[in-house]
Amino acid sequence: MNMNSELIIEAGRTERHYWRDLWRYRELFYFLAWRDILVRYKQTAIGVLWALIRPLLTMAVFTLVFGKLAKLPSDGVPYPILVFAAMLPWQFFANAFTEAGNSLISNANMISKVYFPRLVVPTSAVIVSFVDFLISGAILVGLMLWYGYLPDWRIALLPFFILIAFAAAMGSGLWIAALNVRYRDFRYIIPFVVQFGLYVSPVGFSSSIVPEKWRLIYSLNPMVGVIDGFRWAILGGNVTIFWPGFLLSNTLVMLMLVTGIRYFRKTEKTFADVI
Amino acid sequence: MAPVIKVENLSKKYIIGHRKQERYTALRDVVANGVKRTIGKLLHPHAGQNDPEHEEFWALKDVSFDIQQGDRVGIIGRNGAGKSTLLKILSRITEPTSGKISIKGRVASLLEVGTGFHPELTGRENIYLNGAILGMSRAEIKRKFDEIVAFAEVEKFLDTPVKHYSSGMYVRLAFAVAAHLEPEILIVDEVLAVGDAQFQKKCLGKMEEVSLTGGRTVLFVSHQMGAIAQFCNKALLLDKGMITQSGEVKHVVNYYMNLSANNMDGFKAETAAGHKDVAIVRAQSYDIDGNPSVNFMHDQKIVIVITCKVNRWINGVDVRVAVRDSKRNVFTTDTEGMELLAQNEEAPEELHATVVIPAGILRPEQYFFKLAAYIPNQAILDLVEDALSVTVVDGGSKYAASEGLDYGCVFVDCKWVIDTNPSHQKALSL
């Protein structure tokens, strides 16, 4: 409510107040996320339990297939915990990527009728997935208690790896959301990336089974760094991390985030015209 | 004083695709067009960049105006004149192609009632959600919550999902949230049209209150000239993306109403209207000597000839004329069946309906004629709002001295008896 603030609207002008505006609309992040969570479980019989069942079942199948049938090594960690420590960031990434990618389209009406920094929409979608992530995190705590497997000091670094997961989800989510507005082909690319990604990321197995000479190339998949980081922090003990690959993955994550924000901001002004 | 909104040479271009329905692009087409263009260039290196599938459309062209603080500005114009585009640019929803706007103060815009309302959420939840979308903080919404609920009159249904609301309740709630925004500049598109008359009045009242007590600026788009004339003090008239008139609201509204109908050429349909079974294609007003005319003395007959094109004859078609005054009140309607005229076996290509409005009925005023061809209680075949307009001037009636005063719109020859006693019987026997 400041009469002296003057707003200039011009073609191609990057907004000076963008980040300040984003801060002013900070409560909208919360409200949109709150809406999505509220709406998601209305009219469902078991409600929030869905957030527990999906990761649990996936974990059970992976443990059975990779741990029991393929008998892959688990570095001395109970296989369910090995899988779940990776499922946590992977599910978060996959959900966030899907939800953020479709978020602009599903809020098309709002975008063509009201102004607010468009970044709020995909970010809120990522936040919703983060809530699911926290719920899944509770399952992991339960599993670790069940197996009596305690983490060591490295768990204190977990928030840092969560941030990286967040950056990976945001970066890719922003790219796909902005592209999806313009080219609806990306609607079909999203489920494909998610499905494909599950196999090429070390979710059902430890990335230590990848031969040494391929590790660096394997780390071109940004999720490899994120998942390895999670395992390293949660499982502790004799889990090692392949640092060159980890750095490469994280560099790619950061690159994706920065270019994602830039591409999104470059195109967001035309969203209302093409959506 | 410096204006709160300063718009300079604002233009907005849209590219219209003629082939596709969707506005978004498919990657396939981008690739295919790219290849086509490259090959095209190789084959015809000097050909122009003409793309028959895409056409430029200027929704706004070189628009400039200033708005002062506290003004209530009506924006009027036909459909497609650029009103909504202007509001969208002012609200920062879309970007101009060129030009510059400076705005001082916080802008809130209401381009649609209930944007972001979610049908599954309750009234209470939607108030918070909608408030946040419109840019209110949670504390602000909390503070105004009771006021919003009272204005919307939905106390009893606060915890009911809005999908169970009647459309009236829905609109009331949505407007109530927006009306309590308290921005310095409020932009309102034609959103009140959805509510009932009483609610519209309440909303206009609220907007007026916001403007008068807070010195706030309001931009208001409506097709209802009455609402514009009543609520606004200034107006802008847009036509094909350009401002053709601006200034005092009365002046602009009058200009617009004259423009929309009061020309000597009468009415001519712009399209061939081949898809209509019976289409009104021409209409013209004449004096009794058969000369086209739009100005009449109050004691002259007005002759109107309506030409209908018959594409497919249907029995039982009626033609109707409704007469409106400049305040948009329809005060008389007359109808005539056309089936008698078409009893010959071959359906006629054109039918002319001639109607004579008797002299000495219409008071000095500007009148607008709405024409329709329809089948009673079944279907409207064609309808033209404000097809014609005529001006009736006083030709020397006993009210001539009162010209300019509002003394009604019809002459009625009443009987009077002036006596020292009540003279009921005497008056009736006159």
Side-chain angles (χ1 to χ4, degrees), chain B residues 89-317:
Chain B
I89 295 173
L90 286 172
S91 334
R92 289 199 278 169
I93 292 165
T94 180
E95 195 187 34
T97 308
S98 64
K100 184 180 171 185
I101 303 174
S102 331
I103 300 177
K104 283 181 194 144
R106 174 168 138 175
V107 180
S109 52
L110 184 57
L111 301 196
E112 183 189 67
V113 156
T115 304
F117 263 43
H118 198 288
E120 294 286 346
L121 299 181
T122 67
R124 184 191 306 277
E125 290 161 347
N126 268 311
I127 291 177
Y128 278 96
L129 178 64
N130 196 228
I133 290 170
L134 293 173
M136 281 196 254
S137 70
R138 207 169 355 160
E140 212 176 336
I141 304 168
K142 216 171 239 169
R143 191 151 40 83
K144 294 191 186 132
F145 190 84
D146 293 336
E147 225 179 303
I148 291 172
V149 174
F151 186 90
E153 303 163 27
V154 292
E155 289 92 341
K156 274 189 232 157
F157 306 99
L158 263 184
D159 295 308
T160 309
V162 295
K163 66 177 174 184
H164 298 310
Y165 277 30
S166 72
S167 58
M169 284 159 64
Y170 189 92
V171 173
R172 281 208 301 275
L173 183 64
F175 183 83
V177 179
H180 291 81
L181 264 176
E182 292 189 3
E184 275 112 16
I185 298 162
L186 179 63
I187 295 176
V188 184
D189 201 349
E190 185 139 51
V191 291
L192 306 179
V194 281
D196 55 36
Q198 197 200 344
F199 180 68
Q200 282 189 29
K201 214 169 147 189
K202 196 172 170 181
C203 295
L204 284 175
K206 178 74 194 175
M207 275 159 61
E208 198 158 10
E209 180 196 314
V210 162
S211 154
L212 292 179
T213 57
R216 296 173 206 283
T217 311
V218 181
L219 270 72
F220 178 48
V221 163
S222 179
H223 283 109
Q224 292 162 287
M225 290 305 127
I228 295 266
Q230 189 196 341
F231 170 71
C232 301
N233 61 337
K234 296 277 174 61
L236 294 175
L237 172 61
L238 279 172
D239 184 32
K240 297 187 182 112
M242 287 179 276
I243 292 190
T244 50
Q245 281 289 310
S246 64
E248 292 301 314
V249 67
K250 279 216 173 85
H251 167 75
V252 180
V253 168
N254 272 337
Y255 180 89
Y256 175 58
M257 306 242 281
N258 287 344
L259 186 79
S260 51
N262 206 359
N263 54 6
M264 286 293 284
D265 297 341
F267 165 78
K268 266 196 188 69
E270 283 172 13
T271 55
H275 61 286
K276 293 172 181 165
D277 294 331
V278 175
I280 297 170
V281 288
R282 285 193 303 281
Q284 176 75 57
S285 52
Y286 299 92
D287 61 15
I288 43 167
D289 300 321
N291 302 314
S293 175
V294 290
N295 295 301
F296 296 88
M297 297 289 182
H298 78 278
D299 50 0
Q300 283 180 322
K301 288 175 178 161
I302 302 170
V303 182
I304 293 175
V305 179
I306 305 159
T307 304
C308 297
K309 186 168 188 296
V310 180
N311 293 315
R312 194 173 69 84
W313 182 249
I314 309 169
N315 277 321
V317 178

Side-chain angles (χ1 to χ4, degrees), chain A residues 182-198:
Chain A
R182 178 134 247 152
Y183 311 107
R184 294 296 153 93
D185 305 72
F186 284 89
R187 197 169 21 182
Y188 306 106
I189 295 178
I190 293 169
F192 175 72
V193 168
V194 169
Q195 200 184 23
F196 191 70
L198 183 59

Side-chain angles (χ1 to χ4, degrees), chain A residues 1-15 17-18 21 24-40 42-43 105 107-116 118 179-187 189 266 268-275, chain B residues 3-4 10 12-14 23-28 30 69 88-107 109-112 114-116 118 120-122 124-126 128-129 132-141 161 163 181-184 189 216:
Chain A
M1 288 276 211
N2 182 5
M3 276 302 276
N4 299 321
S5 69
E6 188 169 23
L7 171 77
I8 309 279
I9 302 173
E10 247 179 324
R13 188 187 177 94
T14 46
E15 251 166 273
H17 306 310
Y18 192 84
D21 261 4
R24 230 192 61 203
Y25 277 90
R26 64 192 178 279
E27 286 184 347
L28 192 54
F29 289 103
Y30 162 76
F31 275 115
L32 286 184
W34 168 77
R35 174 197 70 180
D36 288 344
I37 293 168
L38 217 56
V39 167
R40 179 145 45 130
K42 281 203 178 185
Q43 294 199 343
I105 307 288
N107 288 295
N109 189 35
M110 258 169 66
I111 283 166
S112 58
K113 296 291 180 191
V114 196
Y115 167 79
F116 52 86
R118 306 307 188 202
L179 285 168
N180 203 5
V181 171
R182 178 134 247 152
Y183 311 107
R184 294 296 153 93
D185 305 72
F186 284 89
R187 197 169 21 182
I189 295 178
K266 208 181 99 194
E268 72 174 330
K269 284 182 186 162
T270 60
F271 286 170
D273 294 338
V274 291
I275 205 158
Chain B
V4 278
L10 189 71
K12 173 77 184 176
K13 179 175 72 177
Y14 283 106
R23 278 193 288 178
Y24 54 82
T25 346
L27 207 53
R28 182 193 61 194
V30 174
Q69 194 198 337
K88 276 191 177 179
I89 295 173
L90 286 172
S91 334
R92 289 199 278 169
I93 292 165
T94 180
E95 195 187 34
T97 308
S98 64
K100 184 180 171 185
I101 303 174
S102 331
I103 300 177
K104 283 181 194 144
R106 174 168 138 175
V107 180
S109 52
L110 184 57
L111 301 196
E112 183 189 67
T115 304
H118 198 288
E120 294 286 346
L121 299 181
T122 67
R124 184 191 306 277
E125 290 161 347
N126 268 311
Y128 278 96
L129 178 64
I133 290 170
L134 293 173
M136 281 196 254
S137 70
R138 207 169 355 160
E140 212 176 336
I141 304 168
K163 66 177 174 184
L181 264 176
E182 292 189 3
E184 275 112 16
D189 201 349
R216 296 173 206 283

Side-chain angles (χ1 to χ4, degrees), chain B residues 28 32 34 71 144 161 201 205 227 233 334 361 382 413 419:
Chain B
R28 182 193 61 194
D71 273 352
K144 294 191 186 132
K201 214 169 147 189
N233 61 337
D334 204 34
I361 288 189
D382 200 3
D413 195 10
D419 204 343

Side-chain angles (χ1 to χ4, degrees), chain B residues 44 48 58 71 75 78 82 87 99 114 194 202 206 214 224 250 292 321 335 338 340 344 368 390 395 397 411 425:
Chain B
H44 312 281
W58 291 89
D71 273 352
I75 298 171
R78 291 163 196 248
L87 295 197
V194 281
K202 196 172 170 181
K206 178 74 194 175
Q224 292 162 287
K250 279 216 173 85
V321 174
T335 295
M338 293 202 291
L340 290 174
N344 47 337
F368 298 85
V390 299
S397 75
F411 287 103
Q425 289 302 326

